Amino acid sequence: MFLWPVEFNIKAFTKHFETGLLFIAMRNTIIITVVGTILQMAGTTLMAYPLSKKRLRGRSVFLLMILFTMLFGGGLIPMFLLLKNLHILDTYWAIWLPGLISVYNLFVMKSFFEGLPSEVEESAKIDGANDPMILWKIVLLLRKPILAALSLFYPVGLWNVYSQALYFLNNSNLMPLMVRLYQLIQVTSLDSLLDNSEYNLLQPESIKAAAIVISVFPILCVYPFLQKYFVKGVLLGSVKG
């Protein structure tokens, strides 16, 4: 073969789906991505909004503490012990909680909130609105680009979660898509050395390529709808930051 395939077949894809385990992994990944994105967006928004207000007492101290976590981390073993003491090992919370708020995304969202004219919030307060109402009905509606951009950043990270699942999950029924694809690739590569069945004659590169297509296809379906917000949110956030 030089450019055009000699024979069209989907055996590399059917190899991934023949056992049914990939559907379970897909379900787990969808749960992790959807619920995790909601939690992360809520946590980032509720933290970025008060930090964008100069009237917040101890604001500089909080910002320094948050920035410190961006530069230094406790490591894998302390994180494992913490999750164990919280009794959330082998649950989805072991994936959601450690990465609940991204410091980079937090500062980008904070910069966006700071760019909102103060007169808008002051006029809302004159009309009797409190801070939660201002955030929900005014600020978030005026800051759709950054919400859309972060709503793409967070799902991509959760969809591709791998190492956290290996470290903190033991139940095979909870394993996400990336771990399952890796296991299927390893099993196929091993079986190809032991027998010459129809599936095992496939090249390992074909199995890997099929796994890549399966893993990125959902993200490719979502990205076109958020592309304009994604570009605008990243550029404005970088310039403002």
Side-chain angles (χ1 to χ4, degrees):
M1 184 189 72
F2 174 69
L3 181 61
W4 193 258
V6 176
E7 178 185 359
F8 176 81
N9 66 76
I10 58 173
K11 294 178 182 178
F13 292 93
T14 56
K15 176 64 178 178
H16 288 290
F17 289 97
E18 64 179 355
T19 62
L21 295 176
L22 199 64
F23 292 103
I24 299 176
M26 187 78 72
R27 179 204 63 189
N28 296 335
T29 300
I30 292 174
I31 294 174
I32 291 173
T33 302
V34 173
V35 179
T37 300
I38 296 173
L39 293 174
Q40 289 177 332
M41 288 299 298
T44 304
T45 302
L46 295 177
M47 192 171 186
Y49 182 69
L51 288 175
S52 65
K53 306 303 177 185
K54 295 181 179 180
R55 67 177 185 272
L56 177 66
R57 294 182 179 180
R59 176 174 178 264
S60 59
V61 177
F62 291 137
L63 291 176
L64 288 176
M65 293 173 61
I66 295 170
L67 182 61
F68 182 84
T69 63
M70 190 177 185
L71 302 176
F72 303 97
L76 178 60
I77 295 178
M79 178 62 68
F80 182 87
L81 295 176
L82 174 62
L83 297 179
K84 181 180 179 181
N85 292 331
L86 293 175
H87 304 289
I88 59 175
L89 283 178
D90 211 18
T91 66
Y92 291 139
W93 288 103
I95 297 178
W96 293 330
L97 280 184
L100 185 61
I101 298 176
S102 168
V103 177
Y104 174 79
N105 294 339
L106 174 65
F107 279 107
V108 172
M109 183 174 286
K110 182 183 77 70
S111 299
F112 256 73
F113 289 160
E114 290 174 345
L116 183 68
S118 58
E119 292 79 5
V120 176
E121 298 185 32
E122 292 175 358
S123 62
K125 288 184 178 180
I126 293 175
D127 293 335
N130 53 20
D131 285 330
M133 292 179 61
I134 294 174
L135 173 62
W136 180 253
K137 295 185 177 181
I138 297 178
V139 176
L140 294 183
L141 294 179
L142 296 176
R143 289 296 178 254
K144 288 182 179 179
I146 188 60
L147 295 178
L150 297 188
S151 295
L152 184 61
F153 282 155
Y154 278 131
V156 169
L158 290 169
W159 185 269
N160 295 324
V161 65
Y162 175 76
S163 58
Q164 297 95 318
L166 286 180
Y167 298 149
F168 306 137
L169 299 180
N170 294 321
N171 189 348
S172 60
N173 292 325
L174 298 178
M175 288 299 176
L177 180 63
M178 295 304 161
V179 176
R180 186 63 65 188
L181 289 175
Y182 176 77
Q183 293 174 347
L184 289 173
I185 290 172
Q186 294 300 314
V187 170
T188 303
S189 300
L190 178 61
D191 290 346
S192 63
L193 299 177
L194 301 179
D195 58 70
N196 293 321
S197 64
E198 180 182 5
Y199 282 123
N200 292 330
L201 289 176
L202 293 172
Q203 293 293 328
E205 288 76 13
S206 299
I207 301 297
K208 295 177 182 178
I212 293 172
V213 173
I214 294 171
S215 62
V216 303
F217 182 75
I219 302 297
L220 292 178
C221 293
V222 175
Y223 182 81
F225 300 98
L226 299 177
Q227 182 179 7
K228 61 178 181 179
Y229 297 110
F230 173 78
V231 174
K232 184 177 180 181
V234 173
L235 290 180
L236 290 180
S238 61
V239 172
K240 179 64 180 177

